Amino acid sequence: RQDPRHARLVKRMRSDVALELSGPLMVGGQSLVCAQSDFDELSTILGGRPIWLATSVQSNEVQTVLAAHRHALRQSHRLLLILNPASEDQAAECQARLSAEGLRSARWEDGGMPDDNCQVLLATAQDELGLWYRVAPLSFLGSSLSSGQYGLDPFQAAALGTAILYGPNVRNHMPSYTRLAAAGAARIVNDAGALGVAVARLISPEHAASMAMSGWDVVSQGAAITDRITELVITSLDAAEEGTH
C-alpha cells in the first residue's frame, strides 16, 4: 500500500528490512500477438483507409453494429468495418445479415481481402484479436450492450493502441473501463444511434490517436513498479537458492 504511515509502521516492526515506498500497483494490459506478415499485408491493402472494429459481437448486437456502420458511412464513405462475432458459429448468420443489408463484404477466413468497394470485412476467428486491435484505430468492444452480458477486457485493446467504445454491461471489467473512461480513452454508448455518432466522430485520426494515447498511459501505469517488484523477487529467490548451497 502506498502510504508513508504504513511504511513507518513496518519499519518499526522490522528494522532490519530495507523499504522502498512505491506508487500503487495497478493492473496493466496484456499485449496480444499477431502474425507480422498478416499485419503488413493488410496494412498495405488498406492504405490509410478509415477502419473501425466491432469485436465479440453477440447475435443480438449485430444489427446495432450494422446500423451504426450505415450511419457512419454517410460521413465517411470509404469507412471499413471489421466485424468479429462472439462465436464462429455466427458466421452464416452474419453473412446473411450483411447480404440482407446490401453491404458489400469479404470473409477473412475464406482468404477475402477488403478491396476499395468492400464495406465490411467479416472475421469470425477468435484468436486474431491482436491483429484487429493493431489495424483498427477505433474499436467497439461487444458483449456489452444487452443485459446479461459482461464485456471484454479493455486493457488488451488499449495496450495495442486502439480507442475504445463499449456498452453499459461490462460488470466483469468495470474498474478497468472506469479508469479508461476517466482518462478519456474509452466512451460508453447505449444504442445504435449513439454508436453510429461516436464512430463517425471518433474515426478521425486526431480523435482516435488522442484516445489511444490516453489508453496507453493508463495501461502502462505501474509498469515500472511491477518490473521493480519482479526484480526484487528474482533477487530474493536467487539469494535463497545460493544460501542452500
Side-chain angles (χ1 to χ4, degrees):
R1 182 172 177 176
Q2 186 187 19
D3 188 330
R5 294 173 300 174
H6 285 80
R8 289 193 295 269
L9 177 60
V10 172
K11 188 64 176 177
R12 286 198 299 268
M13 294 170 60
R14 294 289 305 275
S15 59
D16 59 321
V17 175
L19 297 180
E20 292 183 23
L21 185 61
S22 71
L25 184 61
M26 295 182 175
V27 175
Q30 176 188 4
S31 185
L32 301 176
V33 299
C34 79
Q36 187 64 42
S37 58
D38 286 343
F39 176 79
D40 292 341
E41 182 179 11
L42 198 53
S43 297
T44 300
I45 291 172
L46 294 172
R49 185 177 176 183
I51 307 162
W52 73 292
L53 165 70
T55 186
S56 195
V57 178
Q58 299 289 339
S59 293
N60 59 4
E61 296 176 317
V62 172
Q63 197 62 42
T64 299
V65 168
L66 297 184
H69 187 50
R70 280 195 171 281
H71 176 92
L73 278 169
R74 296 172 194 160
Q75 296 187 43
S76 180
H77 70 279
R78 297 186 68 242
L79 181 64
L80 174 70
L81 164 64
I82 300 174
L83 178 60
N84 174 238
S87 168
E88 295 184 32
D89 294 337
Q90 295 172 236
E93 177 188 355
C94 288
Q95 193 65 67
R97 289 198 184 189
L98 290 171
S99 298
E101 290 279 338
L103 289 167
R104 299 183 296 274
S105 65
R107 176 86 186 274
W108 175 255
E109 284 75 21
D110 292 340
M113 286 290 183
D115 59 24
D116 286 342
N117 293 316
C118 180
Q119 296 170 309
V120 181
L121 178 63
L122 179 60
T124 58
Q126 300 300 298
D127 59 354
E128 294 190 283
L129 265 183
L131 173 62
W132 306 131
Y133 283 149
R134 284 176 171 86
V135 168
L138 178 66
S139 297
F140 167 68
L141 306 191
S143 300
S144 63
L145 278 174
S146 302
S147 59
Q149 298 171 350
Y150 306 104
L152 301 179
D153 179 1
F155 281 177
Q156 291 183 344
L160 292 177
T162 184
I164 295 170
L165 299 172
Y166 65 100
N169 297 287
V170 291
R171 186 174 66 188
N172 285 2
H173 305 280
M174 184 62 74
S176 299
Y177 281 99
T178 299
R179 284 176 59 194
L180 289 167
R187 183 172 300 185
I188 191 170
V189 293
N190 293 302
D191 52 39
L195 180 57
V197 169
V199 171
R201 180 180 180 187
L202 300 177
I203 198 63
S204 64
E206 61 272 16
H207 278 110
S210 176
M211 290 181 69
M213 183 60 68
S214 297
W216 173 249
D217 287 343
V218 170
V219 298
S220 60
Q221 285 173 2
I225 299 167
T226 301
D227 291 343
R228 178 59 177 153
I229 292 173
T230 303
E231 177 188 350
L232 291 171
V233 169
I234 292 173
T235 299
S236 296
L237 291 174
D238 288 344
E241 184 177 356
E242 290 177 3
T244 61
H245 298 302

